[in-house]
């Protein structure tokens, strides 16, 4: 469908409001049972960087902010500068850890894909999806759907430590 | 906390794996009851652009891909080029519409913030949060938390047509 036709879809505003200039889809927040397990998964398996964290000991929760940054990205050192910078970029993942959940037995959070449904998944795109999935195999990452499963052979779904689905797609043309 | 100290948090990988070069946190997927209502909200209220849609009539669902793009962004016209481009950018919002849900009475989806909890919210950052919230008032957007509510006076939560929470923060230094 052409770009012009897309803009004629029911519900789509005729023009982008000028008042929304500078708006950024900054982040998505997911609650996690065990911050250490989630930080390991998102940094070691997927390559995210931890760019901020905020502990709220009285309210007994912590927030972790991660991003997948292009090589060579300069992250501001100072906290204030880093927080303003972080608020202005898209693609941040916020993980909320309510203290103590890591000691509960079994899963703590709902991934949205069984009733009651809602949130579905996050998605990480990769330059070489075959190589990426081979590496996930080597790292023994659990899958919801392997590349070769089902009819959609060009995408996979892996699962993070809480069972949230992470779709894996290609960001380069597939031969 | 310094950037170096962040990298020493429990669970964080000592180095960013080279194999994750080119990985992009591309999108977040939410199911929506009524695609027209959601497209109206995300394009007219928040300034997103609809950059792709895919109808699956046999499986009775449609996917809508939206992004908040910096002014002057050139969106590729051709479908193939646009899809590769879209897979390579962060900050895409994917809305899944299962056909017919728009005719059901009442809310269809779960926003993740009551039991069973999991997903929390998405967040849009804005250059002038006072002006943005004043405009949301004028547009009669429902709030979960107004700027002036509670202790956190520098952020708000509005609600999209399905009741998903959209956090609003500033992406400029607050005086």
């Amino acid at each position: 469908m052409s770009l012009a036709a897309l803009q004629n879809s029911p519900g789509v505003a005729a023009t982008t409001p000028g008042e929304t200039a500078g708006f950024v889809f900054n982040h998505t927040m997911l609650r996690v049972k065990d911050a250490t397990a989630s930080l390991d998964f998102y940094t070691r398996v997927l390559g995210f960087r931890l760019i901020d964290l905020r502990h709220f000991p009285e309210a007994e929760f912590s927030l972790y902010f991660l991003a997948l940054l292009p090589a060579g990205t300069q992250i501001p050192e100072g906290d204030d500068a880093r927080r303003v910078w972080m608020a202005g970029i898209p693609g941040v993942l916020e993980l909320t850890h309510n203290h103590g959940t890591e000691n509960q037995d079994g899963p703590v959070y709902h991934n949205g894909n069984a009733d009651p449904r809602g949130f579905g998944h996050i998605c990480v795109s990769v330059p070489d999806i075959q190589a990426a999935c081979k590496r996930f195999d080597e790292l023994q990452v659990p899958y919801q759907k392997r590349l070769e499963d089902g009819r959609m052979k060009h995408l996979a779904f892996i699962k993070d430590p809480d069972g949230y689905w992470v779709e894996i797609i290609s960001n380069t043309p597939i031969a």
Side-chain angles (χ1 to χ4, degrees), chain A residues 11-171:
Chain A
V12 174
T15 56
T16 301
E19 298 96 325
T20 64
F23 281 26
V24 175
F25 176 18
N26 174 244
H27 72 248
T28 294
M29 187 279 265
L30 301 175
R31 296 176 179 86
V32 301
K33 170 182 177 172
D34 180 336
T36 302
S38 295
L39 290 173
D40 172 67
F41 176 81
Y42 284 102
T43 62
R44 181 178 55 86
V45 175
L46 290 178
F48 280 76
R49 296 281 302 273
L50 181 65
I51 55 176
D52 198 14
L53 72 77
R54 303 178 198 174
H55 294 305
F56 297 86
E58 289 186 13
E60 298 185 63
F61 70 96
S62 297
L63 307 178
Y64 298 86
F65 295 86
L66 300 112
L68 266 175
L69 300 168
T73 301
Q74 293 293 316
I75 306 175
E77 280 286 339
D79 279 4
D80 291 347
R82 196 167 65 249
R83 286 177 178 178
V84 171
W85 164 80
M86 186 176 80
I89 60 172
V92 173
L93 178 64
E94 176 183 8
L95 302 179
T96 295
H97 174 232
N98 291 303
H99 300 167
T101 52
E102 68 277 17
N103 298 320
Q104 294 181 30
D105 287 333
V108 170
Y109 292 115
H110 176 65
N111 75 8
N113 294 304
D115 287 333
R117 296 192 302 169
F119 167 76
H121 60 261
I122 59 173
C123 173
V124 169
S125 67
V126 304
D128 183 338
I129 195 166
Q130 299 289 344
C133 288
K134 184 166 180 292
R135 177 170 167 270
F136 296 145
D137 287 337
E138 291 162 2
L139 296 173
Q140 299 185 291
V141 175
Y143 280 85
Q144 174 64 29
K145 178 215 169 297
R146 291 176 175 275
L147 269 184
E148 60 270 26
D149 293 341
R151 287 188 298 181
M152 312 276 260
K153 308 294 186 196
H154 57 290
L155 57 85
F157 281 90
I158 59 176
K159 291 195 282 191
D160 93 344
D162 287 274
Y164 294 115
W165 295 4
V166 182
E167 184 178 15
I168 306 295
I169 64 172
S170 170
N171 56 32

